[in-house]
Amino acid sequence: GKLGHRLDALRACDKVSFCVYDEGYTEEGDWVKNVRSVIVFGRVEILDDAGLIADITARLSRKFTQDEEYIAEEIRNHGHLTLLLKLVPEHICGKLVKES
């Protein structure tokens, strides 16, 4: 949504981090799981260009459906409610963690 604590916090301070990690793997004969992760540190930009929002949401929607009429209708009806945030990376790091 376009209102709420998250957006208030981002307007006050645009610094963020975003972490992703894989499902991990276990080496043969071992019981511990090895997990790889990546953290992106950067700043968030709030996108408010209606044309850009429509373009990005249409491209994302095509990953789930090829029904162009449906996509256009959803953007027409709900595009004005859509909030897009852009993460601009400043630093990226990754690591492998072996649980114990």
Side-chain angles (χ1 to χ4, degrees), residues 2 46-61 75 78-85:
K2 292 189 172 187
I46 300 168
L47 301 180
D48 59 3
D49 179 312
L52 181 60
I53 291 170
D55 179 55
I56 291 171
T57 54
R59 286 188 285 138
L60 179 61
S61 297
I75 292 171
H78 305 287
H80 66 284
L81 301 172
T82 302
L83 174 67
L84 290 183
L85 304 173

Side-chain angles (χ1 to χ4, degrees), residues 13-81:
C13 180
D14 64 352
K15 289 183 174 184
V16 297
S17 64
F18 183 75
C19 177
V20 294
Y21 54 91
D22 67 6
E23 68 280 353
Y25 64 93
T26 304
E27 293 179 357
E28 188 175 331
D30 208 349
W31 63 271
V32 298
K33 189 164 270 225
N34 300 281
V35 179
R36 292 173 290 216
S37 66
V38 174
I39 302 176
V40 178
F41 298 90
R43 296 186 181 271
V44 164
E45 295 177 6
I46 300 168
L47 301 180
D48 59 3
D49 179 312
L52 181 60
I53 291 170
D55 179 55
I56 291 171
T57 54
R59 286 188 285 138
L60 179 61
S61 297
R62 289 185 192 105
K63 291 183 174 276
F64 304 100
T65 181
Q66 299 303 310
D67 187 340
E68 292 294 328
E69 185 177 318
Y70 171 77
I71 293 170
E73 182 180 342
E74 288 297 304
I75 292 171
R76 194 169 37 256
N77 292 335
H78 305 287
H80 66 284
L81 301 172

